[in-house]
Amino acid sequence: MNEFYQKLTQIRHYLHQHPELSGQEFETTHFLRNHLEKLDIRILDSGLKTGLIAEIGQGEPIIALRADIDALPILEKTGLSYASQNPGVMHACGHDFHQASLLGAAELLKKMEKQLVGTVRLIFQPAEESSCGALEVLSTGCLDDVKAIIGFHNMPQLKANQLALKSGAVMAGVEKFKVEVEGVSSHAARPDLGVDTVLTLTSMIQALQVLVARTVSPFEANVLSITHIEAGSTWNVLPQNGFFEGTIRSFSPNSQKQLKADFINIVENIAKNFGAKVMISWDQTPPVTYNDESLTPLLFECAQKFAEVLEANPSTAGEDFAFYQEKIPGVFAFIGSNGEADAPDLHHDTMTINDEAFKVSVPYYVESALLLLQRYK
């Protein structure tokens, strides 16, 4: 088995050297297709531009295993011998590890194909970082007959032999907003002749800072962060236009809905009070990643055969796996990938993976699939 994991390590290192951004994973898809074809695994005609869907076994039930394949626009500074060869692009979120893990699981499941009591569908999903890949996969119809879906994300804070899991909300629902304000430009010496865009923007930002603290239960975890503001180009002119943008994170769909409504109310009223025009735009972003409450305890117990299993601490990061869970019962785990006290976090230019983690990630896919095939049979 050590030879098997050494092979997966070589695959991951190759993928790490050749990262591609969301929606541009053409060479990655070509590599995955070739690897699966050599294993004589069926690849479905999904119509996806990048990424692919394959399957092992036949008949029902159908269980899906998902891995994301895209990288980030980050200049790698790890100094690894297998560091990115694409300048400014890096697998700083560990999606090289995710897809190599699913390739490993595919190989093992293929060897036991005749014993499978149903079908395992393999989802190599593009564009997770841009939050549109899961929706692209769903639009193919290839998950319409799936009974349950399994996924995971590596977690640098956990050791390579650890797996964390919990029922219910495990990753936050995400809102990405942009607020554009249009005032009336004037000389800075005569603000009375204009409508002050800067004052309008800053008043909105200040008012929004109390939204979580004073309108949401202190027993619920919610975050509102404004991360970018622009207005003006010189010191003696009141600008006509400006904007700010940021994010809201919540673990409760109801809180998320209420925060968004209150946000709109505050912004629109302040704009009206100052006589400015305002436009609020919201990007398509993932809902709460919510683990199925009947399936998760089963996988929690199952994982103890191959990992040290912990109760997961929810993450305020977002994950488009949540779009699958809106349609299909799903379970999403955290798998340890480092565990050192000073380990760089996800999306960091020195983030690294301990390849010993394959000994948890591959069994997680395989054992979860086998368990759920039996359950739904």
Side-chain angles (χ1 to χ4, degrees):
M1 204 63 171
N2 281 338
E3 184 178 340
F4 171 74
Y5 287 120
Q6 287 171 7
K7 181 173 64 176
L8 289 187
T9 296
Q10 292 172 355
I11 290 171
R12 185 186 80 80
H13 291 186
Y14 174 84
L15 291 168
H16 190 88
Q17 285 180 300
H18 302 89
E20 295 177 293
L21 296 175
S22 303
Q24 300 175 30
E25 311 96 330
F26 296 103
E27 291 302 318
T28 302
T29 301
H30 180 70
F31 175 87
L32 294 168
R33 180 178 293 273
N34 282 346
H35 189 89
L36 292 169
E37 287 176 345
K38 288 177 182 177
L39 294 173
D40 195 29
I41 292 174
R42 296 189 304 277
I43 298 174
L44 304 186
D45 184 13
S46 65
L48 289 171
K49 184 179 70 170
T50 58
L52 58 83
I53 302 172
E55 65 180 20
I56 301 166
Q58 60 182 352
E60 295 185 342
I62 301 172
I63 303 300
L65 306 177
R66 175 269 202 174
D68 37 17
I69 68 173
D70 54 333
L72 287 158
I74 292 176
L75 180 64
E76 182 165 351
K77 297 179 182 178
T78 61
L80 294 168
S81 61
Y82 55 90
S84 171
Q85 296 179 3
N86 296 341
V89 184
M90 177 189 175
H91 270 302
C93 205
H95 296 182
D96 52 338
F97 172 66
H98 299 173
Q99 56 190 309
S101 298
L102 188 51
L103 287 176
E107 182 172 343
L108 297 182
L109 288 164
K110 180 64 180 178
K111 290 178 179 178
M112 59 181 81
E113 185 170 25
K114 292 181 180 179
Q115 287 76 49
L116 296 179
V117 291
T119 303
V120 179
R121 199 157 287 167
L122 313 171
I123 313 297
F124 291 90
Q125 183 208 297
E128 186 277 328
E129 297 294 354
S130 60
S131 299
C132 63
L135 293 171
E136 291 176 13
V137 171
L138 285 167
S139 72
T140 68
C142 291
L143 271 67
D144 290 353
D145 51 358
V146 168
K147 292 294 186 183
I149 186 166
I150 302 301
F152 80 87
H153 206 291
N154 79 91
M155 187 63 67
Q157 291 77 24
L158 299 178
K159 296 178 182 178
N161 67 330
Q162 294 178 323
L163 181 148
L165 197 54
K166 72 178 291 292
S167 298
V170 70
M171 295 186 77
V174 178
E175 296 286 358
K176 179 185 175 185
F177 58 78
K178 183 176 183 179
V179 176
E180 298 173 88
V181 170
E182 180 181 347
V184 176
S185 181
S186 68
H187 196 293
R190 291 298 307 272
D192 56 304
L193 301 179
V195 173
D196 194 335
T197 296
V198 173
L199 181 59
T200 305
L201 287 168
T202 54
S203 297
M204 290 174 177
I205 292 169
Q206 185 174 13
L208 289 171
Q209 296 308 307
V210 303
L211 190 57
V212 170
R214 288 295 176 266
T215 63
V216 178
S217 167
F219 298 104
E220 293 186 13
N222 296 273
V223 175
L224 187 152
S225 293
I226 293 163
T227 57
H228 183 196
I229 179 170
E230 287 189 24
S233 58
T234 189
W235 67 280
N236 60 351
V237 177
L238 296 182
Q240 180 174 342
N241 301 97
F243 74 88
F244 64 87
E245 57 186 348
T247 184
I248 299 172
R249 307 288 169 114
S250 176
F251 292 102
S252 162
N254 289 334
S255 291
Q256 192 172 6
K257 182 179 179 180
Q258 188 60 51
L259 282 168
K260 189 173 180 178
D262 291 344
F263 181 102
I264 293 169
N265 187 50
I266 288 171
V267 166
E268 289 182 344
N269 281 331
I270 290 175
K272 182 178 179 181
N273 289 341
F274 283 104
K277 298 177 182 177
V278 66
M279 183 177 74
I280 308 170
S281 54
W282 305 85
D283 278 17
Q284 190 167 51
T285 44
V288 177
T289 305
Y290 197 90
N291 281 341
D292 186 85
E293 294 183 356
S294 61
L295 299 183
T296 303
L298 300 178
L299 268 60
F300 190 99
E301 181 178 356
C302 177
Q304 295 181 45
K305 295 187 293 185
F306 54 83
E308 178 188 350
V309 186
L310 310 172
E311 183 81 9
N313 292 318
S315 168
T316 51
E319 167 59 63
D320 78 352
F321 187 84
F323 287 121
Y324 299 125
Q325 292 175 310
E326 287 189 317
K327 308 290 184 181
I328 309 163
V331 179
F332 194 79
F334 299 134
I335 291 179
S337 57
N338 195 308
E340 299 296 329
D342 58 349
D345 201 359
L346 302 172
H347 292 216
H348 195 277
D349 57 13
T350 61
M351 184 263 189
T352 58
I353 297 276
N354 181 347
D355 290 304
E356 286 292 311
F358 281 124
K359 295 176 182 178
V360 171
S361 62
V362 174
Y364 168 71
Y365 276 139
V366 173
E367 296 298 330
S368 296
L370 296 176
L371 174 67
L372 295 179
L373 285 175
Q374 290 290 345
R375 173 181 171 82
Y376 284 100
K377 191 68 176 179

